[in-house]
């Protein structure tokens, strides 16, 4: 099954660096760097507000563990956001392409 | 069940043209053109980087095949991204409205 | 289970006000204000086009009813978009953090 993995990074350059590596390693068929976001979150007992960059990867659910591991390796944060959303339908040709251009074994 | 369909297009004008047609045909209750994105992906044996526009449609899972068909008809790409994400909860009034303003039969 | 709740608001200030309140009330671990969007939708028998702001909240599925109620209380719209997307995998540390910093009982 294909999935969309939602992630954030400190800035567009980091999002593109991490995203490009995922595509180069065929852990993702495609990465979309969505752009600048304002993040509000709990951290160290306080509410923080930061500017970040959101990006998504389109891949297969079988590759999510290996993709997550690669993001943890590449990412500057201690606990980066890596959240998988299941794809349940859409263009069969596109979903087939995701399968075609990504690694078969993690 | 309601769904969010994630798509990309070459630019905002194409995203809005396709999105508006989906709403006019009542294949979607609402389309959000999310804005400019940087896409990194495998194509023809190489890694490509392009600027695109992401957009989403809110519709029912029953309409996904007809919506996908319409996107394939309207879209300039050979294999456009059409990826369906299931909605599992939220505002009953909003989810009811999606059902109300979209076609009953595809 | 963790979820991403997709919402829209009239502008970035309203999105951030609502988002911050959700985080302050521990109804969400984190909110990302994604930025300006163009919305095309059916309303009062016509097709409307508006500029809005999209934002998402990362929380637990158990908190979705209470989060939705809070959004309906805080939001200027009569029927705001509150749509829940299930998270099925990703970083265990991140998903554990969502659970850790959000309310245990709604």
């Amino acid at each position: 099954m294909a999935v969309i993995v939602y992630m954030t990074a400190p800035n567009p350059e980091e999002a593109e660096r991490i995203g490009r590596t995922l595509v180069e390693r065929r852990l993702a068929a495609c990465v979309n760097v969505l752009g600048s976001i304002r993040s509000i979150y709990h951290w160290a007992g306080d509410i923080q507000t930061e500017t970040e960059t959101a990006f998504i990867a389109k891949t297969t659910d079988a590759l999510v563990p290996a993709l997550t591991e690669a993001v943890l390796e590449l990412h500057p944060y201690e606990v980066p956001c890596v959240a998988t959303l299941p794809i349940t339908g859409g263009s069969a040709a596109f979903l087939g392409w995701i399968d075609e251009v990504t690694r078969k074994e993690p």
Side-chain angles (χ1 to χ4, degrees), chain A:
Chain A
M1 189 175 77
V3 298
I4 283 178
V5 182
Y6 179 87
M7 296 166 279
T8 65
N11 53 56
E13 295 70 27
E14 289 283 80
E16 189 154 332
R17 177 181 63 82
I18 295 167
R20 183 174 298 280
T21 307
L22 297 178
V23 174
E24 285 168 353
R25 296 185 187 175
R26 292 191 179 272
L27 289 169
C30 169
V31 161
N32 295 160
V33 179
L34 301 180
S36 191
I37 61 174
R38 288 269 291 172
S39 295
I40 308 160
Y41 56 97
H42 285 282
W43 193 258
D46 208 352
I47 293 182
Q48 317 282 344
T49 305
E50 291 285 350
T51 297
E52 292 188 290
T53 295
F55 63 117
I56 62 168
K58 297 161 203 172
T59 188
T60 64
D61 55 355
L63 286 173
V64 165
L67 179 145
T68 302
E69 216 175 289
V71 173
L72 297 181
E73 170 211 324
L74 297 163
H75 208 291
Y77 292 174
E78 202 189 307
V79 183
C81 169
V82 183
T84 305
L85 304 172
I87 295 173
T88 54
S91 156
F94 183 80
L95 302 179
W97 170 76
I98 289 178
D99 211 47
E100 193 192 306
V101 297
T102 48
R103 278 206 238 174
K104 290 307 142 269
E105 78 319 314

